[in-house]
Amino acid sequence: MESYLNENFGDVKAKNSSEEALQRWRKLCWLVKNPKRRFRFTANLSKRFEADAIRRSNQEKFRVAVLVSQAALQFINGLTFSSEYNVPTEVKAAGFEIDADELASIVEGRDVKKLNIHGEVEGIAVKLATSINKGISTSNELLDKRKDIYGINKFAESPARGFWVFVWEALQDMTLMILAVCALVSLLVGISTEGWPKGAHDGLGIVASILLVVFVTATTDYKQSLQFKDLDREKKKITIQVTRNGFRQKISIYDLLSGDIVHLSIGDLVPADGLFVSGFSVLINESSLTGESEPVNVNYGNPFLLSGTKVQDGSCKMLVTTVGMRTQWGKLLATLSEGGDDETPLQVKLNGVATIIGKIGLFFAVVTFSVLVQGLFSRKLQEGSQWTWSGDDAREILDFFAIAVTIVVVAVPEGLPLAVTLSLAFAMKKMMNDKALVRHLAACETMGSATSICSDKTGTLTTNHMTVVKACICGKIKEVGTSKETSSIFSDIPSTALSILLQSIFNNTGGEIVINKDEKIEILGTPTETAILEFGLLLGGDFKSERQALKILKVEPFNSVKKQMAVVLELPNGGLRAHCKGASEIILAACDKVIDSNGEVIALNEASCNHLKDTIEQFASEALRTLCLAYMEIGNEFSAESPLPIKGYTCIGIVGIKDPVRPGVKESVAICRSAGITVRMVTGDNITTAKAIARECGILTDESRAIEGPKFREKSEPELREIIPKLQVMARSSPMDKHTLVKHLRTTFEEVVAVTGDGTNDAPALHEADIGLAMGIAGTEVAKESADVIILDDNFSTIVTVAKWGRSVYINIQKFVQFQLTVNVVALIVNFSSACLTGNAPLTAVQLLWVNMIMDTLGALALATEPPNDDLMKRLPVGRKGNFISNVMWRNIVGQSVYQFVIIWFLQTRGKAAFNIGGPDSDLILNTIIFNSFVFCQVFNEISSRDMEKVNVFKGILDNYVFAAVLTCTAVFQIIIIEFLGTFANTTPLSFQQWFVTVFLGFLGMPIAAALKMIPAGSN
């Protein structure tokens, strides 16, 4: 079966599956009882085609707009414009000078001419009653007016589906419809031949069973939809930095209004349509909107920023013009959201299993019906009444047909693929409480097979609370303490050197020091930038005065490939100065001068160079992150377009930043090792720092090795094949090194790889990995968009929790499949063999519907929602090649099926003698005993299925209240069916002895299951 599934249903991957693969498996699943329910959690391919068409249309529209604006620019210079725009009355009354449609047409159409008519960006800001420096006023009255005129930044969502919609969908089941027709015919024939109410019992029994199945199914599906709704809400929680009332603050992107001043930096999602106010080196990726992969330069000449695009490089201030459904992204998002998530590989495989068993079931149903009808004909031929047919005969044929249809109901395990979503929804909800937000369903199950985790160091293995603890300035190594201590320790540093150091710290930074709305000083930026700015404040520096004293001419933001950032300043007395900072050895290699202990610039001789290199090594061996700061005087001929010099800098100093290892990381790494998961650390840090942290975390062992990114890049394919299995630490790595490592692990070594990432440049590796894990706190929006799971607390221990839940999901679904296939096999064989050999079926339509509900909906609820236990992390991972239906499962399915079939067959052939049953009701009593034994076999088999390999299946049984509740309800309802609903369910009350024996026969399945677990199953 596994090879058939892999051949026909194995094309669908956990991510990035082709459209052909998604189409192919759908065509193979032709035997579906309820398409609406079966395909509810699969991608809507027609909506995806629609979204692609919108993208293509946008691409063409924007291309035309760019050409028009370029042509317009050639005529604009030197022309004066007369405004033909009339402000609508209601807009004027609200205090604004431009309406929403006009704003939308300017940005969406990239209309330079209109922008100039309205006075460019400054003019638009005035007309929007906002300030480029202070932002909008936050008085409630003004905010409400703004919302009324320009709308809110929320997008249309498909309305939540109510409970009755799920009831209606559950009723769409083809087999249930056929049974409903059978019930109606049975009612009509029964009442006409036997009268009311006796003739209605059979029909009403089927109707009641159908309604029970429908309502239980609808309730489960409805609750599941609410869980997914909650998760969707969590996914959309995105905050952005804005200036309002002159204060910087974080707000939700859904609270943005036209006129807001937004601060964007590398990796951010552009939250609304707007105009560029100021900034440096801004590159925007518009592929989400237009499908165009080439990034667009945004500057004063091309100031248009579109909602839904991503900041690929640089940083800027943006004036929000258009929000919500007025933006192109809002219109596209409505279609995109209806496209849905790709189906998961397990869903597809189980659809395949359901199709195979459905075909077998359909064959058995047809044969059973034929045999039963042939038996009736044979009997009538013997009696010589083949030409006379009564209502009873018609009802008998109808009953045969109902049994055949019910065999299809039981045989097509519609619940298999849905059990996957049930288990995933349950796990995703619980994982939210454990600080992991799953963005894609498939990631949950794939994480259970993970064999390798490539983790960042900063913020994942460490706390990300950085502080400068040591510095080497003017050749002197100093400890950094509190403000007073630091001021006194650094008091012997010459004022010229201190001045240059503070100039470098406060100008060459991606961070900012602002006054927040509580009127307190707040340092914004990455943890590294925050640590250095804090160091500048400790030295007595003033951020605002340093920034106002000089004009910034050019900014090169931090680049994880170059491992540095730089800025060019225009000095007050003329001349230009470049400051750069970054990876110590890289910046030091670019220096040929250094500031000495007297504050004078001298040539960097071998002794000074070695002293600085030893300092870097000393800081790194203490697990400190080292950064080197340098500057260079450059000529006035330099322009903003010119590249920065790569040599000739003067070294200002080296700082050592402490980032402590997170508590619990060492234990989590040990858990991964015992679970067969290899943890590798991939970091941009110095190799000595990386090794020190890796040893502290328990990642780097004596047998393993560490390598630097540049050396890794130079290795040939055979060398990489030899190095990678032992590789535990990669230092000074670039995003492409991480991507190469992940690709080799996945393809060459066929590992299932999870990768963590927080920066924009990590997106390719996150996309390439089987499971991309983005950091919720430190991660950029671009990284989160590319990820499958967001680690909300940025903690490595949470990644281990995700792996544990992933394994739990995988094993829970295996347990459910094992349980359901056992019921399928036994129900099919019992009814088929009985029909063939005795001419009647022991299980009626109503009884089979109840059995179907036990194994389908209730079984999924009980087994697919088992919480994980610590033992899961003591077994080896499934990996990429593990069979889903394992030899262990086949052993348990076959063993249990044989036992149950033997019991049922014995009761059918010897039951009357064994229980000493006689009289006119003997067949009814025997069939009730068979039905009761069969149901209790399933109840105890459900308990045995809690663990497929261990004998003790009672461990933690009461911790799972869902399992306990399902078992209790099944047993209680079974008693009610037998004792009180006999007329509808074709049962009769049983004596105490009969109850005891039937329950005991069910219970006997447990020691049988325990004995089966002792039999070695061999490898998969």
Side-chain angles (χ1 to χ4, degrees), residues 69-84:
S69 66
Q70 283 171 348
L73 275 169
Q74 293 171 9
F75 296 100
I76 281 169
N77 295 332
L79 295 178
T80 54
F81 296 101
S82 60
S83 172
E84 298 167 13

Side-chain angles (χ1 to χ4, degrees), residues 508-566:
N508 187 21
T509 178
E512 269 188 273
I513 299 173
V514 298
I515 306 294
N516 64 19
K517 58 181 179 182
D518 301 324
E519 299 196 13
K520 290 181 180 172
I521 287 176
E522 187 179 353
I523 304 175
L524 304 172
T526 65
T528 309
E529 294 287 11
T530 307
I532 293 173
L533 288 172
E534 202 169 2
F535 176 53
L537 293 177
L538 289 173
L539 291 171
D542 183 332
F543 179 81
K544 198 171 181 183
S545 61
E546 287 285 350
R547 289 299 277 260
Q548 286 173 346
L550 302 161
K551 184 185 173 188
I552 296 176
L553 193 70
K554 179 181 173 114
V555 173
E556 275 196 5
F558 178 79
N559 184 311
S560 52
V561 177
K562 292 180 182 174
K563 304 272 181 242
Q564 64 184 60
M565 70 175 296

Side-chain angles (χ1 to χ4, degrees), residues 414-713:
E414 203 90 319
L416 280 183
L418 295 165
V420 179
T421 34
L422 179 70
S423 187
L424 291 172
F426 171 77
M428 285 163 78
K429 186 78 176 164
K430 295 287 182 186
M431 282 160 78
M432 264 300 300
N433 302 334
D434 289 339
K435 303 291 179 192
L437 171 62
V438 179
R439 292 187 73 252
H440 300 131
L441 271 179
C444 220
E445 69 186 46
T446 313
M447 196 66 196
S449 312
T451 57
S452 182
I453 297 173
C454 295
S455 173
D456 284 342
K457 175 187 78 70
T458 308
T460 309
L461 299 168
T462 59
T463 58
N464 219 8
H465 294 142
M466 298 196 195
T467 44
V468 175
V469 292
K470 280 191 174 182
C472 176
I473 312 292
C474 299
K476 297 171 186 171
I477 296 174
K478 308 275 189 179
E479 300 270 349
V480 178
T482 60
S483 184
K484 282 183 182 175
E485 288 170 14
T486 305
S487 298
S488 60
I489 289 166
F490 286 88
S491 59
D492 60 341
I493 288 178
S495 58
T496 51
L498 189 61
S499 170
I500 286 282
L501 175 61
L502 292 173
Q503 193 182 87
S504 177
I505 287 172
F506 290 131
N507 285 289
N508 187 21
T509 178
E512 269 188 273
I513 299 173
V514 298
I515 306 294
N516 64 19
K517 58 181 179 182
D518 301 324
E519 299 196 13
K520 290 181 180 172
I521 287 176
E522 187 179 353
I523 304 175
L524 304 172
T526 65
T528 309
E529 294 287 11
T530 307
I532 293 173
L533 288 172
E534 202 169 2
F535 176 53
L537 293 177
L538 289 173
L539 291 171
D542 183 332
F543 179 81
K544 198 171 181 183
S545 61
E546 287 285 350
R547 289 299 277 260
Q548 286 173 346
L550 302 161
K551 184 185 173 188
I552 296 176
L553 193 70
K554 179 181 173 114
V555 173
E556 275 196 5
F558 178 79
N559 184 311
S560 52
V561 177
K562 292 180 182 174
K563 304 272 181 242
Q564 64 184 60
M565 70 175 296
V567 65
V568 177
L569 305 174
E570 196 176 300
L571 302 174
N573 55 356
L576 303 173
R577 182 177 289 158
H579 282 277
C580 75
K581 75 166 182 233
S584 302
E585 59 271 38
I586 294 171
I587 302 296
L588 190 57
C591 294
D592 58 9
K593 294 180 281 296
V594 65
I595 300 176
D596 71 0
S597 55
N598 300 316
E600 291 175 9
V601 177
I602 59 167
L604 186 63
N605 58 29
E606 195 177 341
S608 302
C609 191
N610 287 339
H611 171 65
L612 289 170
K613 282 180 180 174
D614 291 344
T615 302
I616 293 166
E617 198 64 23
Q618 182 197 326
F619 285 7
S621 64
E622 293 171 27
L624 300 183
R625 191 175 200 187
T626 64
L627 287 179
C628 184
L629 286 76
Y631 80 100
M632 179 185 190
E633 307 292 351
I634 51 178
N636 285 326
E637 66 278 2
F638 181 86
S639 73
E641 285 72 42
S642 311
L644 282 167
I646 53 172
K647 292 277 182 191
Y649 286 87
T650 302
C651 177
I652 302 169
I654 290 155
V655 293
I657 301 171
K658 180 77 176 167
D659 186 11
V661 170
R662 281 184 183 274
V665 163
K666 193 167 187 177
E667 293 81 356
S668 298
V669 170
I671 289 169
C672 283
R673 192 166 278 124
S674 68
I677 301 170
T678 307
V679 180
R680 292 177 172 86
M681 187 170 95
V682 183
T683 177
D685 274 355
N686 172 306
I687 194 160
T688 312
T689 308
K691 279 179 171 179
I693 295 281
R695 281 201 182 91
E696 201 178 329
C697 296
I699 292 171
L700 191 63
T701 59
D702 295 336
E703 305 84 52
S704 54
R705 62 179 293 178
I707 195 170
E708 286 184 309
K711 289 180 183 172
F712 180 79
R713 264 166 258 160

Side-chain angles (χ1 to χ4, degrees), residues 782-946:
V782 171
K784 290 176 191 174
E785 284 274 312
S786 302
D788 305 295
V789 181
I790 298 170
I791 306 298
L792 299 173
D793 61 355
D794 290 16
N795 194 338
F796 184 79
S797 301
T798 305
I799 297 171
V800 179
T801 307
V802 173
K804 193 196 283 186
W805 270 108
R807 289 187 174 198
S808 176
V809 165
Y810 194 86
I811 284 166
N812 283 350
I813 295 165
Q814 280 188 315
K815 291 176 197 171
F816 174 64
V817 169
Q818 176 188 296
F819 169 69
Q820 187 161 38
L821 291 187
T822 306
V823 189
N824 279 133
V825 169
V826 179
L828 268 179
I829 295 174
V830 164
N831 264 23
F832 174 71
S833 59
S834 184
C836 292
L837 299 169
T838 65
N840 62 22
L843 300 174
T844 65
V846 172
Q847 290 166 3
L848 280 172
L849 280 172
W850 169 233
V851 167
N852 180 61
M853 201 167 75
I854 292 173
M855 72 170 188
D856 223 1
T857 312
L858 297 179
L861 269 174
L863 290 168
T865 58
E866 280 271 335
N869 55 57
D870 292 337
D871 290 344
L872 288 172
M873 297 304 279
K874 289 173 187 168
R875 58 172 81 194
L876 292 173
V878 177
R880 197 174 293 283
K881 290 201 165 177
N883 287 346
F884 177 69
I885 302 180
S886 63
N887 289 351
V888 167
M889 290 168 71
W890 281 123
R891 176 197 66 195
N892 297 343
I893 291 166
V894 171
Q896 268 297 328
S897 301
V898 168
Y899 165 70
Q900 289 186 23
F901 178 67
V902 167
I903 290 294
I904 304 297
W905 189 246
F906 170 78
L907 289 174
Q908 267 199 289
T909 53
R910 301 277 185 274
K912 287 184 183 178
F915 283 94
N916 199 18
I917 303 167
D921 288 339
S922 59
D923 285 342
L924 182 61
I925 295 167
L926 181 64
N927 282 346
T928 305
I929 288 169
I930 291 169
F931 171 53
N932 207 35
S933 302
F934 182 65
V935 167
F936 277 98
C937 276
Q938 308 326 316
V939 169
F940 288 106
N941 184 30
E942 205 163 341
I943 298 170
S944 297
S945 296
R946 285 192 74 237

Side-chain angles (χ1 to χ4, degrees), residues 98-117:
I98 189 166
D99 71 313
D101 292 336
E102 181 76 356
L103 283 168
S105 69
I106 291 170
V107 179
E108 203 178 294
R110 300 179 195 247
D111 198 325
V112 181
K113 185 180 172 186
K114 267 190 187 176
L115 183 63
N116 279 276
I117 286 171

Side-chain angles (χ1 to χ4, degrees), residues 173-427:
D173 190 311
M174 185 57 69
T175 49
L176 291 184
M177 287 183 198
I178 295 168
L179 283 175
V181 172
C182 289
L184 182 66
V185 175
S186 177
L187 277 169
L188 294 172
V189 173
I191 292 167
S192 63
T193 54
E194 295 180 46
W196 175 271
K198 193 183 176 189
H201 288 158
D202 286 356
L204 288 176
I206 296 174
V207 169
S209 302
I210 290 169
L211 290 175
L212 183 65
V213 168
V214 163
F215 276 95
V216 170
T217 303
T219 305
T220 312
D221 291 349
Y222 177 61
K223 286 196 167 181
Q224 204 171 321
S225 78
L226 293 180
Q227 285 182 320
F228 280 120
K229 204 82 181 161
D230 290 345
L231 288 164
D232 272 347
R233 211 171 288 122
E234 286 297 328
K235 284 182 202 174
K236 290 172 184 169
K237 283 186 180 174
I238 303 170
T239 56
I240 197 90
Q241 289 271 354
V242 299
T243 297
R244 282 185 174 182
N245 268 0
F247 298 116
R248 278 284 279 274
Q249 51 193 279
K250 266 188 178 181
I251 65 167
S252 164
I253 62 165
Y254 303 109
D255 294 332
L256 272 182
L257 297 170
S258 293
D260 259 320
I261 299 297
V262 174
H263 300 264
L264 295 172
S265 56
I266 185 167
D268 281 342
L269 194 74
V270 179
D273 284 2
L275 295 165
F276 173 90
V277 175
S278 62
F280 299 96
S281 317
V282 181
L283 276 180
I284 300 290
N285 183 334
E286 295 185 347
S287 59
S288 55
L289 204 57
T290 66
E292 195 71 67
S293 57
E294 197 62 37
V296 176
N297 262 306
V298 171
N299 45 40
Y300 296 107
N302 175 34
F304 307 107
L305 289 151
L306 295 163
S307 175
T309 58
K310 300 175 186 84
V311 183
Q312 192 166 311
D313 204 356
S315 59
C316 69
K317 262 196 331 187
M318 171 182 107
L319 168 66
V320 174
T321 56
T322 318
V323 292
M325 290 306 291
R326 282 195 169 94
T327 66
Q328 266 303 318
W329 179 244
K331 294 162 196 167
L332 176 60
L333 203 63
T335 313
L336 272 178
S337 59
E338 288 176 37
D341 259 358
D342 275 2
E343 43 274 25
T344 77
L346 266 187
Q347 270 178 299
V348 174
K349 265 193 178 179
L350 292 180
N351 266 298
V353 173
T355 304
I356 295 166
I357 295 169
K359 288 174 183 175
I360 296 166
L362 187 63
F363 169 75
F364 273 74
V366 170
V367 173
T368 304
F369 179 67
S370 307
V371 168
L372 290 171
V373 171
Q374 188 266 334
L376 176 65
F377 268 97
S378 300
R379 198 173 71 238
K380 288 189 78 65
L381 275 169
Q382 285 171 359
E383 292 168 358
S385 58
Q386 68 269 29
W387 302 112
T388 54
W389 291 81
S390 65
D392 283 346
D393 294 331
R395 276 185 71 185
E396 207 169 335
I397 290 176
L398 196 65
D399 286 344
F400 295 159
F401 183 68
I403 287 166
V405 172
T406 316
I407 285 175
V408 176
V409 173
V410 176
V412 179
E414 203 90 319
L416 280 183
L418 295 165
V420 179
T421 34
L422 179 70
S423 187
L424 291 172
F426 171 77

